[in-house]
Amino acid sequence: MTEQNQPIRHFRTAATMVLASLSLLLTGCFITPGKFLSAVELGEDQDFTFTYEGEIFFAALGDLGTEGDEQFSPEDCFVDGTSEVRECTRNEISGQRAEWEAGAEARAAERKRQAEQFSAIMGGIDPSNPEAIEEFRRRLLRQKGWNRVEDKGEGVFDVSYRIEGKLTHDFMFPVIEGVPSTNPFVQVLLRDDGVVRITGSGFSAQNEGNPLGAMMGGMGALAGLAAMAPEQSNDGSEMPKFPLMEGTFSIAAADSMAILANNTDEGPVSGAGQQTLSWNVDASSQAAPTALIKTQP
């Protein structure tokens, strides 16, 4: 392979390695929304309701978390001094196959290491186990608030979540038993004097709740990188497919409450005894929906 061809190969290899590294580094925190509707409602007497309807993507249960088929696939060969792809010779294919076979033991060890890391991140669930998805569903459904969890494949679940309570403590969603809660979609944080700060930190490309994600440029950068990377790595395993975030997040507060600050375009809309703030978000949204509300006189 000539020096002119090497950058092409190196780019593909680098893209694959970055995606693999992201999966291992961010799987615990890389839980992202797909298409959704979500709302926080603050009622009289410190009543609190949170709902989330729609898709959630769990990277550990996507394609990158599976072992993949161990099948040899020849790399491209190029016309000398150009980026033009040509048919590989028999000797070139034989050489590539020999190199691939020589790395079989190292690949097997790496798959085992990754499986152990995924299992630790997912609370003991092995993503390569055919029963992993169903076990994960059962774990979610036994937690309060998770009323529907349906597998849509490739790490995407369609869920219905609703929980009610009082504003007596901070709240974060999602919180999943055995899974590190480092990438919250929504945070409700109580301050002194009856003030509440609500942030849809997971509903933006720059997720302030996930510093590693922000370092990589957020969901937009991850999705773009996934699009540039090859569909398969050299060991035959598929690259992850990142669902695009698209949805609406709203906060409704009783008329007796004071909205001290918010970053909506239109401000609160009044009706039916409530003031409602709404945000339409997608993978290009830069600012996380945020509001500061005084719930008590």
Side-chain angles (χ1 to χ4, degrees):
M1 180 173 293
T2 65
E3 291 183 1
Q4 289 92 336
N5 300 145
Q6 287 178 356
I8 298 173
R9 181 179 183 182
H10 289 169
F11 169 79
R12 293 176 177 174
T13 302
T16 302
M17 291 175 63
V18 169
L19 284 170
S21 298
L22 281 172
S23 178
L24 294 179
L25 289 172
L26 303 181
T27 295
C29 57
F30 194 32
I31 303 173
T32 66
K35 294 184 177 181
F36 72 93
L37 292 174
S38 183
V40 174
E41 184 173 345
L42 307 179
E44 302 288 356
D45 301 322
Q46 300 298 289
D47 290 335
F48 164 79
T49 302
F50 173 79
T51 58
Y52 184 96
E53 296 276 343
E55 297 174 335
I56 295 182
F57 172 60
F58 296 89
L61 298 176
D63 288 339
L64 196 61
T66 60
E67 183 173 302
D69 297 327
E70 265 286 298
Q71 296 180 351
F72 169 71
S73 179
E75 296 182 358
D76 291 336
C77 295
F78 301 89
V79 175
D80 287 345
T82 73
S83 59
E84 180 183 350
V85 178
R86 62 169 174 79
E87 185 177 353
C88 296
T89 67
R90 182 176 300 179
N91 286 341
E92 287 172 328
I93 293 176
S94 296
Q96 290 183 25
R97 182 183 293 276
E99 183 179 353
W100 179 81
E101 291 175 348
E105 184 176 344
R107 290 195 304 275
E110 177 62 14
R111 286 196 302 273
K112 180 179 179 181
R113 183 182 69 85
Q114 290 185 8
E116 291 172 350
Q117 290 183 336
F118 279 124
S119 180
I121 287 169
M122 297 304 294
I125 294 178
D126 180 1
S128 66
N129 187 327
E131 298 298 320
I133 299 296
E134 185 57 31
E135 172 62 20
F136 188 67
R137 286 186 66 251
R138 286 195 294 265
R139 288 195 182 186
L140 288 181
L141 288 170
R142 75 187 182 189
Q143 286 187 231
K144 186 176 180 61
W146 297 87
N147 300 314
R148 182 184 73 248
V149 180
E150 297 178 357
D151 175 31
K152 298 183 69 175
E154 298 178 343
V156 181
F157 291 80
D158 181 57
V159 308
S160 175
Y161 182 93
R162 179 184 177 88
I163 197 162
E164 300 175 352
K166 296 286 187 179
L167 288 174
T168 57
H169 52 80
D170 295 340
F171 171 81
M172 181 170 65
F173 175 85
V175 174
I176 301 170
E177 183 178 345
V179 177
S181 299
T182 54
N183 187 40
F185 294 5
V186 175
Q187 294 175 293
V188 179
L189 305 176
L190 307 187
R191 296 184 178 181
D192 293 333
D193 301 321
V195 175
V196 178
R197 185 178 191 267
I198 302 174
T199 305
S201 51
F203 301 148
S204 70
Q206 300 293 337
N207 186 342
E208 65 183 44
N210 179 3
L212 287 174
M215 287 170 56
M216 293 304 299
M219 285 191 59
L222 291 175
L225 182 58
M228 291 188 294
E231 293 183 358
Q232 289 190 335
S233 63
N234 292 337
D235 66 1
S237 60
E238 294 185 5
M239 292 295 97
K241 299 177 179 63
F242 297 91
L244 292 178
M245 176 177 62
E246 180 182 0
T248 299
F249 177 59
S250 63
I251 300 172
D255 279 340
S256 61
M257 300 177 182
I259 298 177
L260 305 178
N262 73 93
N263 63 348
T264 61
D265 288 334
E266 305 297 333
V269 176
S270 297
Q274 292 181 322
Q275 311 164 77
T276 302
L277 302 167
S278 296
W279 295 261
N280 293 320
V281 301
D282 57 32
S284 67
S285 299
Q286 295 300 308
T290 304
L292 195 64
I293 301 173
K294 187 171 179 58
T295 63
Q296 299 174 353

